[in-house]
Amino acid sequence: MTELRWNLPAAPAVATVALAHGAGAGWDAAFMTRMAEALAVEGIAVARFQFGYMARRAEGGKAAPPPAAERLVKEYRTALEAIAAAPEAVGPILAAGKSLGGRVAAMTANEPLGDRVAGVICLGYPFHPPGQPELPRLAPLANVVLPTLVLQGERDEFGNRGEVEGYDIGTHARVVFLEDGNHDFGPRGQSPATLRGNISLAAV
């Protein structure tokens, strides 16, 4: 059974976000917490969940690397079913994730997911391995069948603005860049942008 951690808005929610973590940090990572709290401020219910490999790490298991993204699609689909059945879930559901989680969300949305799931949000999409722009991972975005929003830091080492603007990611996905942001949306100290501001912009 998929365990869920909810962040709920003070007023009735207008939508629900299913939020998966990145490759190396679970649902309690600072980015995940900041993002979930910012979305709740915007009136969105957020259900965080963990893939099995990360849940085993949290329980004291071996810190094995994540499996191939393709092998996590079934788990993501199962989590969506659990979220849709939960009383906290209100309105349309958006399949979302940080880095690896966003890639898996897009892969999961390569096929219809029922009337309730309305779109995909990728937070810091891993367009390529760091330092290897010649190995793009574009197929999940090019093949997605739902409206997809990619929120990307301009300096993201997994795909910066200059690189990403040259990619063909199909007709269903669009990218919004966050000023001077890194993979966690954080800007440099001298930047006029702030981490809080970039997180807030991503949540709107």
Side-chain angles (χ1 to χ4, degrees):
M1 182 176 179
T2 304
E3 184 179 358
L4 304 175
R5 178 175 293 181
W6 288 91
N7 286 80
L8 300 175
V14 297
T16 300
V17 162
L19 185 57
H21 56 79
W27 62 5
D28 57 354
F31 177 91
M32 294 286 287
T33 299
R34 291 188 186 107
M35 200 71 238
E37 291 175 348
L39 286 165
V41 168
E42 297 298 325
I44 298 170
V46 181
R48 287 182 267 176
F49 67 94
Q50 301 201 108
F51 295 117
Y53 81 91
M54 187 60 70
R56 289 188 289 274
R57 283 189 195 179
E59 293 169 356
K62 183 179 179 181
E70 294 81 359
R71 293 176 56 192
L72 297 173
V73 168
K74 183 178 179 180
E75 288 188 53
Y76 201 110
R77 186 177 289 269
T78 298
L80 283 176
E81 292 170 354
I83 291 165
E88 295 91 344
V90 175
I93 296 173
L94 301 172
K98 165 63 174 164
S99 195
L100 171 66
R103 184 181 175 201
V104 177
M107 287 178 170
T108 305
N110 284 178
E111 297 179 359
L113 294 171
D115 295 339
R116 192 92 185 268
V117 182
V120 177
I121 303 172
C122 302
L123 303 165
Y125 185 84
F127 282 96
H128 60 71
Q132 296 179 286
E134 72 279 7
L135 299 175
R137 301 162 172 156
L138 306 182
L141 297 177
N143 296 332
V144 73
V145 298
L146 291 173
T148 298
L149 174 63
V150 178
L151 293 152
Q152 195 80 0
E154 289 183 328
R155 298 183 298 109
D156 195 325
E157 64 179 352
F158 289 83
N160 63 45
R161 183 167 192 158
E163 294 163 346
V164 173
E165 287 183 334
Y167 291 145
D168 180 0
I169 57 173
T171 59
H172 287 95
R174 70 182 182 98
V175 183
V176 172
F177 294 99
L178 298 169
E179 184 178 356
D180 201 46
N182 60 16
H183 194 51
D184 290 332
F185 301 165
R188 290 166 290 193
Q190 70 271 28
S191 172
T194 65
L195 175 58
R196 177 177 290 182
N198 280 348
I199 291 286
S200 297
L201 285 172
V204 173

